[in-house]
Amino acid sequence: MEAGAAAVQREREIHGTKFIVASGSMQRFMAMVERVAGHTETVLITGETGCGKELIACSVHEFSYRHGKPWIDINCAALPEHLVESELFGYEKGAFSGADNSKPGLFELADKGTLFLDEIGELPSHIQVKLLRVLDGAPYYRLGGHRKITVDVRIVAATNQDLEAAVREGRFRKDLFHRLSQFELRVPSLRERPEDIVALAEHFLRLKSSEAKFSAEALRILQSHSWPGNVRELRNVVAKVAMAASGPEIGAPDVLAELSAEQQKSEIPLPSGDLQDMERQMVMKALENTGGHRAKAAEQLGISRRTLSRKLGEYKITAAPGNKSRALGALSLKQKKFFRAKVKLPVMLRDSQGQEVQATAVNLSVGGMGLEGLPDPRRSEGLMDISFCLPDSQTRIEAKVQVVWADLEGRAGATFVVIEPAVYKELQEWTNQRMKEEGWELPL
């Protein structure tokens, strides 16, 4: 859909938050959410970070017959491991040092209502066992208690992990996974529903300024961005752009500047030789020694699996069991986006004034390219048209790029900002072929 084109937009209020849906795919998804909400089974919500899993969980509660009963939520990754059991199931006075009074757990507080377990993949194994028994209707004891407690609670859980992989690796119980996923809802990522990008961006902008508006080109750029952080990233970018805007209209340069700043921040490497880098290397070495098995790697490092999971996220390490018999390595979908094939091909760049310059591409990915030989890279500002032929192909790639970094020696990095879907598909197929030729295994 073109930026600014009319879309059927629906809004509803969920726990004080305005929920905006414009895309057909998201409207169909929400219809499914309403149908699932009318049942009594547990629900597992999956999806990328920032795509709105908690809001979907709230929707399940609001659309269910329990909507007038308690809604209780907990982030399983935010609590220290030794506090998870007491928070979920409560404790009696004197159960441990500091337990001066008895305290009901979240299951009791959610009785007759809904308990939302966010980041369910981070639950310790001994809590997984107890949770499974409660889900099967068995009464339980508070920590240090002698009185059995029975509750009527609907569980809604969420995760951005691949729980099936966690089951294979022994990090998550298979029986609990099947018990939780009686209904499984996968929230579409923002890039899968570009109509929602425009609707949400304009909504977030209205929250910051009732007079501000995006130009058509700015909206097109927002739609073409991949949004790895999904709705949360979009909201943050719009907030920063709104605060930095000098006038009522937010144009393409304003949006590009903020997106470039965000990308540069995410790609800043850790300083070599410091404690963080040493720790990162230790984690990677442990994963390498154990074939990517997280439980064994954590044991080797002398830390808990929860701590290892946090370290993997902190250092942006993807841990997957190796399978050297099939390929040299496996690329996740996220890693696939950053694969750069070495090339040496001429490209033509044209700026907004129509001035053309030639350069040489030295690497190429689905996201952009590295360039050499720019006459004056510092002057390569704003959107530029680019044209080149794919190596070993008659396909000509034409797109709009933004130079996101440059040096005085004519080297620069350019990101594709606007590229036609058919052209992008050609580039993606070429890149996939190059990855296979180098021995990488591609995700299905």
Side-chain angles (χ1 to χ4, degrees):
M1 188 189 83
E2 290 294 326
V8 179
Q9 183 171 310
R10 296 180 182 175
E11 299 181 6
R12 49 167 57 100
E13 199 86 10
I14 302 292
H15 281 203
T17 300
K18 187 169 287 188
F19 196 1
I20 296 175
V21 177
S23 65
S25 61
M26 197 62 182
Q27 289 180 13
R28 289 190 294 273
F29 175 76
M30 289 308 299
M32 184 186 300
V33 170
E34 291 192 38
R35 289 197 299 273
V36 168
H39 294 267
T40 58
E41 286 81 1
T42 56
V43 181
L44 177 64
I45 301 171
T46 62
E48 298 177 6
T49 298
C51 66
K53 295 187 291 295
E54 183 173 356
L55 207 53
I56 298 302
C58 290
S59 300
V60 171
H61 176 72
E62 288 295 307
F63 297 149
S64 74
Y65 71 89
R66 297 174 182 259
H67 66 272
K69 301 300 182 181
W71 158 265
I72 304 294
D73 61 274
I74 180 176
N75 186 319
C76 300
L79 286 173
E81 189 169 336
H82 66 281
L83 292 181
V84 175
E85 183 174 8
S86 61
E87 285 295 316
L88 285 176
F89 303 107
Y91 56 83
E92 297 292 350
K93 181 179 180 180
F96 50 83
S97 178
D100 298 326
N101 296 288
S102 298
K103 179 184 176 182
L106 297 183
F107 268 96
E108 288 176 74
L109 296 177
D111 190 32
K112 303 297 188 297
T114 304
L115 176 60
F116 174 48
L117 301 175
D118 199 6
E119 303 291 353
I120 187 72
E122 298 296 335
L123 274 183
S125 56
H126 70 285
I127 303 299
Q128 293 180 29
V129 176
K130 193 167 183 177
L131 175 60
L132 180 63
R133 287 179 52 79
V134 176
L135 289 177
D136 286 336
Y140 65 91
Y141 296 100
R142 287 180 181 176
L143 203 62
H146 303 284
R147 177 177 60 89
K148 285 188 174 182
I149 296 172
T150 303
V151 292
D152 172 21
V153 173
R154 185 183 194 180
I155 294 293
V156 179
T159 183
N160 58 13
Q161 293 187 30
D162 182 349
L163 282 191
E164 292 187 71
V167 169
R168 291 193 298 270
E169 296 171 16
R171 295 184 290 110
F172 203 83
R173 292 183 62 94
K174 184 177 182 180
D175 46 8
L176 179 58
F177 169 70
H178 290 304
R179 187 66 176 79
L180 288 170
S181 58
Q182 291 177 331
F183 283 115
E184 186 169 346
L185 297 171
R186 187 190 74 85
V187 186
S189 63
L190 195 54
R191 62 183 168 277
E192 296 177 69
R193 41 190 175 105
E195 299 95 332
D196 289 332
I197 295 175
V198 171
L200 288 167
E202 291 179 333
H203 167 66
F204 293 143
L205 185 60
R206 284 194 298 271
L207 294 179
K208 293 297 179 182
S209 172
S210 58
E211 298 177 355
K213 65 176 182 178
F214 288 107
S215 69
E217 183 66 17
L219 289 175
R220 277 192 288 272
I221 290 170
L222 288 172
Q223 277 192 305
S224 67
H225 187 61
S226 62
W227 299 111
N230 290 287
V231 179
R232 186 180 296 125
E233 181 188 5
L234 175 62
R235 183 179 62 231
N236 292 342
V237 166
V238 171
K240 292 176 182 178
V241 167
M243 287 188 289
S246 56
E249 182 175 87
I250 296 175
D254 301 309
V255 173
L256 284 170
E258 183 54 41
L259 290 178
S260 297
E262 288 292 311
Q263 183 175 1
Q264 287 175 339
K265 281 192 293 185
S266 67
E267 293 182 353
I268 294 175
L270 290 170
S272 60
D274 65 8
L275 290 175
Q276 281 188 318
D277 192 49
M278 291 172 62
E279 184 176 59
R280 184 176 188 274
Q281 295 298 325
M282 289 173 64
V283 170
M284 292 178 67
K285 186 65 176 176
L287 288 168
E288 181 183 338
N289 292 341
T290 59
H293 196 291
R294 295 189 185 188
K296 292 179 180 177
E299 183 179 355
Q300 187 176 109
L301 291 166
I303 59 178
S304 70
R305 283 180 293 185
R306 285 166 57 84
T307 300
L308 177 60
S309 293
R310 285 196 295 270
K311 296 296 181 186
L312 295 179
E314 181 181 345
Y315 296 130
K316 297 180 174 61
I317 300 171
T318 300
N323 189 347
K324 295 183 180 179
S325 62
R326 295 182 60 190
L328 293 177
L331 289 177
S332 69
L333 288 172
K334 183 175 181 181
Q335 290 170 319
K336 180 180 171 185
K337 294 177 186 175
F338 295 103
F339 172 85
R340 292 176 172 85
K342 291 182 179 180
V343 295
K344 192 167 186 179
L345 59 96
V347 301
M348 180 67 73
L349 293 158
R350 186 171 62 251
D351 62 22
S352 57
Q353 282 74 45
Q355 183 177 355
E356 294 185 344
V357 295
Q358 283 192 328
T360 300
V362 293
N363 62 59
L364 177 62
S365 73
V366 293
M369 58 172 51
L371 299 170
E372 287 184 352
L374 281 180
D376 189 353
R378 294 172 301 176
R379 299 184 62 183
S380 303
E381 297 180 351
L383 279 181
M384 303 181 75
D385 293 308
I386 193 167
S387 176
F388 61 92
C389 281
L390 278 176
D392 306 318
S393 167
Q394 299 300 313
T395 302
R396 176 160 289 278
I397 301 293
E398 294 184 344
K400 289 186 180 294
V401 297
Q402 169 79 16
V403 173
V404 294
W405 66 266
D407 63 22
L408 297 177
E409 298 178 3
R411 294 187 292 258
T415 298
F416 295 122
V417 176
V418 180
I419 186 168
E420 292 295 327
V423 176
Y424 179 84
K425 184 178 179 182
E426 292 271 2
L427 178 59
Q428 191 173 47
E429 289 175 352
W430 179 87
T431 307
N432 286 349
Q433 184 59 39
R434 289 296 294 268
M435 282 191 274
K436 290 177 182 178
E437 290 171 1
E438 290 190 19
W440 290 102
E441 181 183 72
L442 302 181
L444 296 176

